[in-house]
Amino acid sequence: MSQHTVAQPRTVGLTAASPSGWWRDAVIYQVYPRSFADSNGDGMGDLEGIRTRLPHLKELGVDAVWLSPFYESPQADAGYDVADYRAVAPMFGSLLDADALIRDAHALGLRIIVDVVPNHVSDQHTWFRQAVQEGPGSPLRRRFHFRPGKGEDGELPPNDWESIFGGPAWSRVTEPDGTPGEWYLHLFAPEQPDLNWEHPAVDDEFRSILRFWLDMGIDGFRVDVAHGLVKAAGLPDIGTRDQLKLLGNDAMPFFDQDGVHEIYRGWRKVVAEYGDDRVLVAEAWTPTVERTALYVRPDELHQAFNFHYLSTYWDADELRDVIDGSLDAMRPVGAPTTWVLSNHDVTRHTTRFANPPGLGTQIGTEGDVRLGLRRARAATLLMLALPGSAYLFQGEELGLPDVVSLPDEVRQDPSFHRANGQDGFRDGCRVPLPWTVGGSSYGFGSGGSWLPQPEDWGGLSVEAQTGEPGSTLEFYRMALAIRHEHSALGAGESVEWLHAPAGVLAFCRIAEDGQRFVCTANTTKDPVSLPVYGQILLASETAGIRVSESQAVLPPDSTIWWTG
Ligand code: NOJ
């Protein structure tokens, strides 16, 4: 069995032949600024830290970098509570640092996507502070959802909506005269008041914010809670408790309302003023892939995260259903399908797959760590063979597991504290990255790290894995290099399924030049026998592969790329 040797990854130049479509099959790497690299020793990652580590991303072979928020913010929700959309929080640096980061990334051929948070602002945002100070009847209150309370003295919230982070979705303000007053809506933490998108000033402000960052040279936006901006008229009661359990499955009066699409038609025009290679990516949790497809119609956003894929377990039947469903849903609107396994809001896929199915995307137990990593590598190889764009979350290239042992007192996720730990394990995937085998915070920075790193973190570091045959880092580098080299990977809008035994996926892609490419994924715990599909390009697990003239044995929980 010979493994393909890969030269250097293709240079991803910004002047590529078809710049308008770079995002269609791009591999986009999410950087979580707090936890990537700390340049000034304050224990918190920053923009300068990211800039100095860009060569790692270049060498990894990704096309673009998505940065989670680094704006001025009191950090009630790790920066998703923005106080000033045009300023960088001092803990992350300055606008000059942002400029240097964007320029350096471009010089390396890496594109930069930034987060925009339009559903809510921080309670420290000038608009909200003034709205509270000016009291009931202030025109500024109309930019938010202020309402009088129910009950004799207005002591009850205006409706029964629950916050995504637990507890009621309403908080009551104290009016300037010191009396308990109106209530305001916050789908997330109380420090994140929801904006009223019916108000023209809100729309104007966000078009201006988009332009500000487009003028800074960024290549696109990831739109936070893209499905939440418009609320059902009259803010009707839902009528049930435990509404968190309904999310993603049922129609909710505060999510996925048809009115959001008009907003994105406007945004598309703004972005189009800057040419056709700046992109808008929706974070839209919807009940079905068909509903997700509505966000990426030709005059709306360019891409939407495929959370249906992210929520799927390592199971051949379920994976095939979601792959077919996603491709079928996107084809009519002409948008590329996207694929994602991990991000800053869910338990890393290494840990999800280390645990039994049915536990969802927030898991607090480490499970079978070796099995989890093995399946995670197999799942990554499967994902990178699918047509469309793929999103990676920092640290998955190191095979990092979620850190499930964090003591409660160090956790910062507001959902952990508001939901009594029920559904708030997001700190576990946010632990700062290990860069070196030893040293302070394993090379993350010189002053420790804002969340404690486990003691064995050095063995998973970039330094430990670089040049190490079979390491997860070298495996990712090779997979991305091959993906760039073989046009059949990532391109197109469908896969041709091949006959395969239960628990196994096998599909074929044909490149424009006629080259045939096959991906086989064995999701079972047993070896399986399949026809030989040509030469092996890459395998997520080499031990146990046996190839005779016509038959090959695939190891359990593994994926293989073939060509020929
Ligand atoms: C989605 C973001 O990914 C998450 O981290 C954040 O807490 C919520 N939106 C609220 O902004």
Side-chain angles (χ1 to χ4, degrees), residues 312-325:
T312 305
Y313 196 69
W314 177 238
D315 174 279
D317 290 340
E318 290 177 30
L319 284 164
R320 183 169 167 161
D321 280 354
V322 73
I323 292 168
D324 279 341

Side-chain angles (χ1 to χ4, degrees), residues 358-404:
L359 299 181
T361 56
Q362 299 277 338
I363 300 174
T365 49
E366 75 176 0
D368 181 338
V369 176
R370 280 168 68 101
L371 177 67
L373 178 58
R374 183 182 176 109
R375 287 177 169 173
R377 288 169 54 128
T380 297
L381 209 53
L382 170 65
M383 171 174 85
L384 291 175
L386 294 169
S389 170
Y391 282 80
L392 308 180
F393 176 51
Q394 67 176 40
E396 70 170 82
E397 77 277 23
L398 305 176
L400 297 186
D402 241 54
V403 181
V404 296

Side-chain angles (χ1 to χ4, degrees), residues 46-69:
D46 47 48
L47 296 184
E48 178 60 8
I50 300 168
R51 192 184 68 77
T52 56
R53 294 290 187 183
L54 285 174
H56 167 71
L57 303 180
K58 178 66 186 167
E59 205 178 330
L60 183 59
V62 299
D63 302 294
V65 179
W66 150 36
L67 301 166
S68 280

Side-chain angles (χ1 to χ4, degrees), residues 48-115:
E48 178 60 8
I50 300 168
R51 192 184 68 77
T52 56
R53 294 290 187 183
L54 285 174
H56 167 71
L57 303 180
K58 178 66 186 167
E59 205 178 330
L60 183 59
V62 299
D63 302 294
V65 179
W66 150 36
L67 301 166
S68 280
F70 49 83
Y71 314 112
E72 184 64 78
S73 158
Q75 303 288 318
D77 183 20
Y80 282 95
D81 48 319
V82 182
D84 183 346
Y85 290 79
R86 298 178 187 81
V88 173
M91 63 189 263
F92 292 131
S94 64
L95 278 176
L96 281 178
D97 294 327
D99 182 59
L101 171 57
I102 295 164
R103 284 172 193 273
D104 275 24
H106 285 171
L108 285 170
L110 294 166
R111 289 184 159 91
I112 295 282
I113 292 174
V114 299
D115 235 295

